[in-house]
């Protein structure tokens, strides 16, 4: 049985703050500061360049990839860390398209994160006029997976509403139609159990700064299925994806294995923070995490609906169809969010009218949910959100 009191004690949460934004940026693990100090002072400071070998910096992207693989149900040796998620979306999509060269249509949905869509547009533009990005409504994805589709590029959990696609079902449908799949797991990894190997997904990518608590700017991950791992074209042919980078040949020969998806120098300090953050998952059963997440989400929905009829649930009502976040529509969601933040209840706002709360049982329990319900109710009942100071938008919402 997972002990979520024990995992909560591993995080440095400011006194009085109720943090319901771990779906955007996870909180600081207490072990991170000491790990950074060790990396900077003892490794970089004392070992300098020899740290690449002595401190194992060069092996980190695959070593940490294996730790993430366990959390997403991937085979060991099939996940590697590096770069940002947007870059990994580009790389995975380009690589998948090359594996299906006679088809030119990429299917995605309007619930996808805009950066994925922008990256796909940029890629397809450079590939030529015969390529097309087809964007359909999330509920229409299945029926649009036709024999024209080269690759489906989908984010499993919608960043605004928390609506969750059926990854296994859509992957099977894509394969039946002769398409490959690229799944973005930004809002899935660390949010609930994933069974990537079992679903048969071809490529998957994700970030590690949300539910995995790797800190701002933490590296992304990429997964390639076993059948492509040793021959997929890496597209972004960086030297650290080369079979023999330190032989410095001028011809590019990709490494065997998932190492080929590496590009350039890894962000060592960020990798170490992530490695320390991943210790929080020791002893956590992801099925317990999911059960706790559903119970907390149901509690939040029931409490808000009972007290605040002005807020309308934006997330699916059926927990099976939700990730690990709960969102509500409200006409002045930005102002409401700011009023909550001023009381130490941290959620966030997504345009045009969504208030989001991330549910992370590693450090959120019923006391936090009840406090959030009480604060939302008070602010709504007293119209306390309706003040000019809560309506000026910050650059980051
Ligand atoms: C689903 C999804 N995809 C892609 C991105 C972009 O990630 P990055 O800024 O790390 O490139 C995000 C960022 O939040 C996201 O939520």
């Amino acid at each position: 049985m997972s002990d979520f009191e024990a995992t909560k004690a591993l995080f440095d949460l400011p006194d009085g703050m109720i943090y319901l934004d771990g779906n955007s940026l996870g909180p600081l693990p207490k072990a991170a500061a000491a790990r950074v100090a060790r990396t900077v002072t003892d490794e970089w400071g004392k070992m300098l360049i020899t740290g690449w070998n002595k401190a194992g910096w060069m092996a980190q992207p695959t070593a940490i990839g294996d730790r993430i693989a366990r959390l997403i149900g991937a085979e060991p040796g099939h996940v590697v860390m590096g770069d940002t998620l947007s870059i990994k979306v580009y790389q995975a999509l380009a690589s998948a398209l090359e594996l299906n060269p006679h088809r030119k249509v990429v299917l995605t949905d309007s619930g996808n994160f805009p950066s994925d869509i922008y990256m796909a547009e940029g890629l397809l533009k450079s590939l030529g006029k015969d390529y097309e990005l087809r964007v359909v409504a999330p509920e229409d994805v299945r029926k649009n997976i036709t024999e024209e589709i080269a690759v489906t590029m989908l984010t499993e959990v919608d960043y605004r509403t928390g609506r969750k696609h059926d990854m296994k079902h859509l992957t099977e449908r894509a394969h039946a139609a002769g398409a490959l799949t690229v799944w973005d797991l930004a809002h899935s990894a660390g949010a609930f159990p994933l069974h990537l190997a079992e679903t048969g997904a071809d490529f998957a990518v994700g970030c590690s700064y949300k539910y995995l608590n790797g800190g701002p700017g933490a590296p992304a991950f990429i997964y390639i299925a076993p059948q492509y791992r040793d021959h997929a074209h890496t597209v972004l042919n960086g030297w650290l994806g080369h079979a023999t980078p330190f032989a410095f040949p001028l011809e590019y020969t990709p490494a065997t294995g998932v190492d080929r998806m590496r590009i350039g120098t890894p962000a060592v300090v960020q990798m170490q923070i992530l490695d320390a953050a991943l210790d929080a998952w020791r002893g956590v059963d992801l099925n317990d995490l999911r059960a706790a997440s559903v119970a907390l989400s149901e509690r939040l929905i029931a409490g808000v609906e009972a007290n605040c009829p002005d807020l309308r649930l934006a997330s699916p009502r059926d927990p099976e169809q939700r990730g690990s976040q709960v969102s509500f529509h409200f006409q002045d969601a930005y102002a409401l969010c700011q009023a909550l933040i001023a009381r130490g209840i941290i959620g966030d706002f997504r345009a045009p009218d969504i208030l989001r709360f991330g549910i992370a049982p590693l450090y959120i329990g019923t006391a936090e949910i009840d406090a959030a319900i009480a604060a939302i109710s008070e602010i709504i009942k007293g119209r306390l959100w309706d003040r000019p100071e809560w309506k000026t938008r910050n650059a980051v919402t």
Side-chain angles (χ1 to χ4, degrees):
M1 196 63 189
S2 312
D3 180 352
F4 293 123
E5 283 300 319
T7 55
K8 184 175 176 188
L10 299 174
F11 292 92
D12 212 347
L13 293 154
D15 280 344
M17 180 189 283
I18 292 187
Y19 194 66
L20 297 170
D21 213 0
N23 54 318
S24 205
L25 175 68
L28 173 66
K30 285 181 183 157
R35 181 66 76 90
V36 170
R38 191 180 87 195
T39 306
V40 170
T41 311
D42 300 348
E43 297 180 357
W44 180 22
K46 299 206 169 71
M47 298 177 192
L48 287 122
I49 191 87
T50 65
W52 287 108
N53 293 315
K54 275 197 204 153
W57 295 341
M58 197 48 96
Q60 271 179 343
T62 40
I64 298 177
D66 277 343
R67 298 190 76 184
I68 304 264
R70 283 197 289 279
L71 293 173
I72 61 175
E75 307 87 338
H78 289 73
V79 176
V80 70
M81 311 303 298
D83 318 298
T84 67
L85 177 50
S86 302
I87 301 286
K88 281 337 211 190
V89 166
Y90 186 98
Q91 193 181 21
L93 179 59
S95 194
L97 280 169
E98 289 206 20
L99 290 163
N100 210 355
H102 303 299
R103 298 190 184 185
K104 309 287 175 198
V105 182
V106 173
L107 180 69
T108 192
D109 71 65
S110 52
N112 206 344
F113 192 76
S115 193
D116 294 30
I117 293 183
Y118 306 154
M119 293 309 277
E121 278 169 356
L123 168 65
L124 299 192
K125 194 167 173 202
S126 70
L127 289 178
K129 286 200 178 2
D130 45 347
Y131 279 88
E132 176 192 337
L133 179 65
R134 198 166 289 169
V135 186
V136 300
E139 56 279 15
D140 293 337
V141 167
R142 190 182 184 285
K143 69 172 186 241
N144 280 282
I145 303 178
T146 60
E147 297 200 346
E148 250 185 308
I149 306 301
V151 179
T152 60
M153 181 192 72
L154 300 168
T155 293
E156 187 188 16
V157 176
D158 184 311
Y159 70 104
R160 286 165 304 189
T161 63
R163 188 260 319 125
K164 183 161 148 317
H165 275 308
D166 184 336
M167 185 170 15
K168 189 165 188 341
H169 178 74
L170 290 178
T171 300
E172 279 166 10
R173 171 85 195 110
H175 289 168
L180 276 80
T181 57
V182 172
W183 285 100
D184 181 337
L185 305 178
H187 300 266
S188 311
F192 48 82
L194 280 161
H195 307 284
L196 212 51
E198 229 174 83
T199 55
D202 301 295
F203 290 82
V205 291
C207 62
S208 64
Y209 45 74
K210 299 182 191 292
Y211 295 94
L212 298 173
N213 311 307
F221 64 83
I222 185 164
Y223 162 85
I224 318 190
Q227 66 272 30
Y228 306 121
R229 196 189 67 148
D230 292 331
H231 74 270
H233 178 205
T234 60
V235 183
L236 300 170
N237 295 351
W239 72 302
L240 290 184
H242 196 285
T244 56
F246 287 91
F248 300 104
L250 290 185
E251 314 71 49
Y252 183 76
T253 311
T256 47
V258 74
D259 267 320
R260 68 175 47 206
M261 300 312 265
R262 289 176 68 160
I263 300 175
T265 306
V268 169
V269 180
Q270 288 279 184
M271 294 268 178
Q272 295 277 20
I273 296 174
L274 174 60
D275 193 48
L278 291 174
D279 290 346
W281 296 95
R282 285 189 183 134
V284 172
D285 178 334
L286 288 166
N287 294 311
D288 295 343
L289 183 91
R290 177 64 172 169
S293 154
V294 168
L296 294 170
S297 302
E298 294 293 276
R299 190 178 184 101
L300 179 61
I301 293 170
V304 168
E305 288 191 329
N307 291 288
C308 315
D310 291 353
L311 267 66
R312 189 164 50 84
L313 186 65
S315 301
R317 194 163 289 282
D318 175 3
E320 284 296 306
Q321 291 178 30
R322 280 199 307 263
S324 196
Q325 73 176 65
V326 173
S327 306
F328 296 96
H329 294 287
F330 180 63
Q331 88 254 12
D332 237 316
Y334 184 79
L336 173 55
C337 185
Q338 296 310 304
L340 280 165
I341 291 172
R343 289 175 175 230
I345 314 278
I346 317 293
D348 66 15
F349 162 81
R350 284 294 172 266
D353 67 346
I354 285 188
L355 181 64
R356 296 193 303 182
F357 299 108
I359 311 293
L362 284 191
Y363 50 85
I364 294 295
T366 50
E368 285 79 10
I369 296 296
D370 291 349
I373 295 168
I376 301 167
S377 307
E378 211 180 305
I379 293 170
I380 291 286
K381 283 179 185 150
R383 283 187 71 89
L384 305 181
W385 53 269
D386 196 5
R387 291 201 200 145
E389 69 262 38
W390 305 141
K391 297 187 181 184
T392 313
R393 299 245 174 132
N394 289 319
V396 176
T397 63

